[in-house]
Amino acid sequence: MKAIFQNSLLVRAVLRLREWYHEGAIASFFRKVANAYPDSRFRRIWDGFCATPICTVDNSRYARVIAALRRFVERVGDAAAQSMIYRLCLAIWKPVSTFLGGGVIGRVCRFFGVRGLLLVCLAMYLPLDYFIRNCIPIAFIGSIWDECLMLAAFAYVLWHTAMRRAPLGLRATPVDTYLLLFIGVGFFLMCAVSPYPSIALDGYRAVVQYLFWFFLVTRLIEDDRDFAIFYGALLAMAVPIALHGIYQYIVAAPIPAGWVSQTEESVRTRVYSLAGSPNIMGSLLVLFAPMAAGLAYYCKKMWVKVLAIGVTGMMCLCCIFTFSKGAWGGLAVAVIVFAIFLDRRLIALMAVAGAGALIAIPSIANRITYLFTADYMEASQRAGRMVRWETGLNLLHESNPWLGFGLGRFGGAVAMQNKIIEETDTFEYFYMDNYYLKTLVEMGYIGLIFFIVLLIGMALWCLRSIGRTNFNQTDRTRVLAVSMFAGMCGVLVHCYFENIFEVPYMMAYFWSMAAAIMYLGYFRKKRKG
């Protein structure tokens, strides 16, 4: 297998590009920078930045509050463990668990454990949501199943802590405070601007509910085994989605006429798979393609490297077939972030691959060049992003610019579902196609400022976490942290062009991956078994 791989045309072409790179001026420049880096001032600044301690009982009031809550929960658990009800439930559960433990399902449950099953269910959010909403005739279940999953994860964390089975160290992070601050500001804005309280509450829930996955995943991932289950389950979910997208492109799956303009007739289809939208599909692949690429750098076995490279190429190809320009930009940013941390040669490889895609698939070049035509400007000003963004800003300034137009009232899914204002020739509902601008319109300058502070704080602490991970011959943990962070950066760029965080599973994936990065840098524990 190794000989076939090394003698293939693709590998020889890549090796030739590598030789050209090493012989060029760019490689010489990077080598000089790398040689000077260990003794540079930037290295000392970076080391000091990464050495910043996380929340502890000694240096953080928030950590002291969390520690007090933990002690209270443990005392409640100690009292409950001595109660007659607990002993009765335990006596009933033992024979039930013995009966359910047999067979394939029982062995699978024992292998993953409760934490593993919860993490797998979170990783399978998209296919589970699609199946429940389309295959179960009871609509009520489709609307509450994800809340039930979140409550189950919260109940497990609470019970695990009460029974003194959780890790002894605190899982408090500075990102918690940024999240709680934004959640508090959102609650204030919901109360301050709520002409329709039920809609304001629904809009507030859509904004903050899935942020709580960060708190839960930070405590669900207790060791490397849990992290490996979560990372692997995410890729196991993304690979079939990408394969299905490529299949849709091959068979030219029918799409609505509104997905392409009249000047883009060469675009035969746009893939969307279970996501239902090519833009969300593209963002999903931007999030997971770097994770597949990370396996090629992390694993040492050649067959795993080959498989990971193939999966990465497949995801990138599927992302191209979405014909989502925002996703293409997000993918480029993800590759650049990945390359800066791990392998700068990937930037040149991305340029070559992009040029090859433009030549091989003319519709890609047509879609990109269309951005710079007068027809695009006219269409955008008539019914595209420009007129949508301008309408949103006008609506903001007609209301209170600091407090916003009101949560759930314009620019997002909640507003599209309710439509409380009568549509006229001069006013109509639509998606803002810019999550930051949607946040600005609904929550005003105050909401947007605190949302940006949240994202910056999360990014800084993820960078610190990456800086604290290892990258050597025996432990390449940094590769996995960088892979997730690169995809997250790509999604944040795509949010400028689409309402990506309006989709529940995208927000759940994003914040759970941020929690996984924090685990690698600050809470990592040797794998069990």
Side-chain angles (χ1 to χ4, degrees), residues 428-498:
E428 63 175 334
Y429 281 94
F430 46 72
Y431 285 98
M432 194 67 71
D433 286 347
N434 182 327
Y435 191 79
Y436 305 107
L437 188 55
K438 178 257 182 189
T439 302
L440 174 62
V441 172
E442 289 193 339
M443 303 180 70
Y445 292 124
I446 293 177
L448 180 63
I449 289 171
F450 280 93
F451 183 64
I452 298 298
V453 168
L454 166 62
L455 295 180
I456 292 175
M458 180 274 300
L460 290 177
W461 280 98
C462 283
L463 286 172
R464 285 191 173 106
S465 187
I466 290 171
R468 295 168 63 93
T469 54
N470 298 322
F471 186 62
N472 50 53
Q473 293 297 323
T474 59
D475 188 358
R476 302 182 181 185
T477 309
R478 180 172 298 180
V479 171
L480 304 180
V482 169
S483 301
M484 291 185 288
F485 183 70
M488 291 166 61
C489 290
V491 170
L492 289 179
V493 171
H494 196 187
C495 279
Y496 186 79
F497 303 99
E498 298 292 340

Side-chain angles (χ1 to χ4, degrees), residues 158-279:
L158 197 64
W159 173 82
H160 204 52
T161 303
M163 296 296 107
R164 299 181 181 269
R165 299 178 183 177
L168 296 177
L170 289 177
R171 291 298 178 96
T173 73
V175 182
D176 296 1
T177 58
Y178 292 113
L179 285 166
L180 293 173
L181 185 61
F182 177 70
I183 291 169
V185 169
F187 182 79
F188 163 75
L189 294 173
M190 179 191 70
C191 297
V193 186
S194 55
Y196 302 90
S198 60
I199 293 176
L201 180 62
D202 201 17
Y204 177 69
R205 181 199 60 80
V207 170
V208 307
Q209 174 180 330
Y210 302 96
L211 300 178
F212 286 98
W213 277 116
F214 179 88
F215 298 98
L216 294 172
V217 175
T218 303
R219 291 154 178 83
L220 285 175
I221 300 180
E222 293 189 1
D223 52 42
D224 283 359
R225 186 176 188 276
D226 295 332
F227 176 83
I229 288 174
F230 184 57
Y231 196 99
L234 287 172
L235 287 179
M237 180 277 302
V239 171
I241 298 293
L243 283 171
H244 185 229
I246 292 176
Y247 167 78
Q248 285 183 323
Y249 184 78
I250 293 173
V251 301
I255 59 174
W259 283 6
V260 293
S261 65
Q262 295 179 353
T263 58
E264 296 177 302
E265 296 179 354
S266 59
V267 178
R268 52 198 290 269
T269 188
R270 297 180 65 185
V271 304
Y272 48 90
S273 188
L274 303 185
S277 164
N279 293 311

Side-chain angles (χ1 to χ4, degrees), residues 268-304:
R268 52 198 290 269
T269 188
R270 297 180 65 185
V271 304
Y272 48 90
S273 188
L274 303 185
S277 164
N279 293 311
I280 302 302
M281 175 73 169
S283 193
L284 191 77
L285 295 167
V286 168
L287 194 60
F288 294 121
M291 292 178 61
L295 284 183
Y297 287 82
Y298 180 78
C299 298
K300 298 179 180 180
K301 295 182 179 179
M302 181 57 66
W303 70 271
V304 178

